[in-house]
Amino acid sequence: MGGLLSISVCAQERAGMGMVDMNPAGLYLMNLASGTSQNPLSWPMPMLMMHFGQWNTMFMGNAFIVDTQQSGPRGGDKLYSTNEFMASVAHRAGAKGMFEMNLMLSLEPATVTDRRYPLLFQTGETAYGQPIVDGQHPHNLIMGLGAHYAYEIAENTIVDLYAAPVGDPALGPIAYPHRASAMELPEAPLSHHWQDSTHISDDVVTLGISHGKVKVEASGFHGAEPGENRWIIQQGTIDSWSARLWYFPAKNWAAQISGGRIAHPEADFSGDQIRLTGSLHYTRPMEGSAWSSSFIWGRNHDTGSLHNLNSYLAESVVPVGARNFITGRAELVDKDELFSDEPEIEERLTAAAGSTFRIGSYTIGYTRDIPVFERLETGIGFNFSAYSLPAAIKPYYGDRPVGGNIFIRIRLKPPA
C-alpha cells in the first residue's frame, strides 16, 4: 500500500470515531505538522479530536517548565517555560475538497524573559538592537495563523494551497517544536538557524502537489526574522522563495530535500541567506508511544560575508516501557557570530584564528511520565550537554563547558 492511500489509512486510524465527513483531501491535511511539513505517517500524533456538526477540530499542546544551569564564563542560569498550543478546524469543500484553518500560539513572550533563555553557542536574531549570542530567542505569541485548501484532482493525487499571515514555508525539515524526535527536548538545537528557522515567517504562500509517495512544494514568503515585539503579527513583502521535495518510502519513513533564498533575515547583518537542507526521519510506534529519530543537514551561504556554513544533527527519543523516555541529540555546527556582540574580541580572533568555529554539542536526557491528570501527559526529566570547541575560543568559554536542564513536561493527551 503506497503513497496517499497509506496517508489516508494512517490518518483514518488516528481519527477513529472523532471525525466526520472526511475525504482523501481531509485525511491528507490531518498528517501535516507545521505549515506543510510532515513527520513519518506512522507517528501517533498526540492530539485531541472532536467534531461540531460538520466541522472537525484538532488540538495539540506542549509545555516545559525548565531550570537551566551552564558552566564557564559565558554560561547562564535561568528558570523559564517553552510552550506552544495548536488548534485546527476543517470542513469539507465539495466532494473532493477540504478547507482547514490553523492557529498556533505560544506564551513565551511572557515566560521567556529578557528575550532569551541560556543556550551556550547559540546564535541568530537580535534583541534590543544587539545580537543574541549564547541564548535562544522566544517564539511569537502567534506562531502560526493560516489556511489550507486541499483537493483530490485524481486518484492518489492531491493539490494543497496554503496561505498564512504567519506560517512555515516549504524549507527545511519539520521544525523542532513539532518534530517527533525532539518531543522530549525543551531547548532548541544549535543548528536551528541553519535548518528550520523559517518556521515562523510572515506572509507565506505555498503550492504543493502529492502523488503516490512523492510531494513537491514551492513557497514565497517574507524573509526577515520576527521583530522584537513578539506579541503582534508583522507584515512584509514576499521577497524570498523556497522549494521542497518529500519522499515517503514507507509509513515509518519520511525524507526531504529543500532549498531557498531568504532575503535579509537578520536585522543587524547585510546580505541574504541561500539555504540548502536534507533530512531523514524515522518513527516506529511502540507501547503507547514511538521510537523516533531524525538525521538533518543544513547549509547557509551568506551573500554578505560569503561564508558557507554547515550543520549536522542526529536526534532520537526512545521509549522504555510505557512511561520512560531516553533522549539524545548530537550536532556539529559552523558558527561565525559567536562574538558579534563583542566587536573587539571578534576582530582579534578573526586576525588570529579566522571568523568561523566548528562547535560540537552532545546531549543525553531522560523523562519519566507521572500520571496526574486524565487529559494531560505530565512528566519530569533532565538532560545534560557537553561541548567540543576550537582551542582559540576556550579562553572565552572554558576548556570543558557543560550545561544541564531539569524540567517538567506537560502535554495534551489523546484518549486511549
Side-chain angles (χ1 to χ4, degrees):
M1 186 179 298
L4 292 177
L5 185 55
S6 289
I7 293 176
S8 299
V9 170
C10 292
Q12 190 66 65
E13 290 172 354
R14 292 171 184 164
M17 297 301 293
M19 313 298 273
V20 298
D21 204 26
M22 296 295 285
N23 55 22
L27 297 173
Y28 160 84
L29 290 177
M30 284 182 62
N31 285 289
L32 300 183
S34 175
T36 57
S37 65
Q38 290 185 228
N39 285 289
L41 302 173
S42 60
W43 184 47
M45 196 179 297
M47 60 183 176
L48 300 178
M49 296 169 288
M50 60 189 72
H51 62 87
F52 300 93
Q54 296 302 308
W55 290 90
N56 294 311
T57 61
M58 293 183 289
F59 303 93
M60 297 177 66
N62 197 51
F64 291 91
I65 302 171
V66 190
D67 182 71
T68 292
Q69 304 285 323
Q70 297 175 332
S71 73
R74 287 190 155 209
D77 309 320
K78 192 166 191 171
L79 178 68
Y80 59 95
S81 172
T82 57
N83 50 80
E84 66 268 353
F85 176 80
M86 293 144 279
S88 69
V89 57
H91 193 282
R92 182 190 285 264
K96 296 185 176 182
M98 184 67 70
F99 173 76
E100 180 182 86
M101 294 190 66
N102 309 104
L103 175 65
M104 286 189 279
L105 301 174
S106 175
L107 292 178
E108 289 179 18
T111 62
V112 178
T113 57
D114 196 33
R115 295 296 194 275
R116 72 194 71 195
Y117 61 81
L119 186 57
L120 278 170
F121 302 103
Q122 184 66 301
T123 58
E125 292 205 14
T126 60
Y128 308 117
Q130 296 295 319
I132 296 178
V133 180
D134 300 312
Q136 173 63 31
H137 61 81
H139 291 114
N140 288 18
L141 169 66
I142 300 178
M143 294 176 63
L145 175 63
H148 291 266
Y149 174 69
Y151 185 81
E152 184 185 18
I153 61 173
E155 185 178 1
N156 218 27
T157 304
I158 288 178
V159 170
D160 176 20
L161 176 63
Y162 169 67
V166 182
D168 190 346
L171 180 60
I174 310 98
Y176 77 89
H178 316 286
R179 196 159 60 226
S181 57
M183 292 297 286
E184 299 297 333
L185 292 166
E187 69 271 33
L190 294 186
S191 51
H192 173 49
H193 286 268
W194 280 244
Q195 298 170 359
D196 57 4
S197 63
T198 55
H199 75 111
I200 302 178
S201 295
D202 297 323
D203 298 297
V204 179
V205 178
T206 300
L207 179 64
I209 183 168
S210 298
H211 177 74
K213 299 179 179 181
V214 176
K215 179 164 74 167
V216 180
E217 307 166 289
S219 294
F221 59 101
H222 183 60
E225 298 276 10
E228 292 189 7
N229 189 343
R230 300 281 175 172
W231 296 98
I232 63 172
I233 294 178
Q234 300 168 81
Q235 297 296 133
T237 59
I238 296 178
D239 54 12
S240 306
W241 63 268
S242 65
R244 181 164 59 191
L245 172 66
W246 287 95
Y247 178 55
F248 304 93
K251 67 180 183 179
N252 288 1
W253 294 91
Q256 68 84 32
I257 56 173
S258 59
R261 187 181 185 103
I262 309 169
H264 196 54
E266 296 187 41
D268 287 0
F269 298 91
S270 62
D272 299 347
Q273 281 183 354
I274 299 173
R275 179 171 298 171
L276 300 173
T277 80
S279 62
L280 179 65
H281 309 272
Y282 172 80
T283 288
R284 189 179 78 184
M286 300 177 70
E287 181 184 355
S289 185
W291 169 26
S292 296
S293 300
S294 295
F295 306 91
I296 304 170
W297 165 76
R299 178 182 185 271
N300 283 335
H301 170 75
D302 191 307
T303 63
S305 66
L306 301 181
H307 290 173
N308 295 309
L309 305 174
N310 286 284
S311 69
Y312 308 89
L313 176 147
E315 68 184 13
S316 190
V317 55
V318 182
V320 180
R323 296 183 181 176
N324 304 286
F325 301 89
I326 305 296
T327 57
R329 176 186 282 161
E331 299 181 82
L332 290 174
V333 190
D334 297 330
K335 295 280 184 173
D336 67 347
E337 298 178 0
L338 290 174
F339 300 93
S340 57
D341 58 340
E342 300 181 81
E344 291 183 2
I345 295 176
E346 184 176 48
E347 184 177 350
R348 186 164 61 248
L349 278 171
T350 299
S355 59
T356 300
F357 306 99
R358 175 158 288 186
I359 304 300
S361 175
Y362 314 95
T363 300
I364 187 72
Y366 169 75
T367 308
R368 167 74 176 183
D369 266 349
I370 300 176
V372 177
F373 304 103
E374 182 181 0
R375 285 289 177 258
L376 295 176
E377 292 180 343
T378 55
I380 58 173
F382 67 89
N383 60 42
F384 174 82
S385 297
Y387 302 91
S388 61
L389 63 161
I393 64 174
K394 286 185 177 181
Y396 307 98
Y397 282 95
D399 288 341
R400 295 180 179 85
V402 296
N405 297 311
I406 299 173
F407 58 84
I408 299 171
R409 185 260 291 137
I410 304 168
R411 184 162 53 227
L412 285 180
K413 181 180 180 180

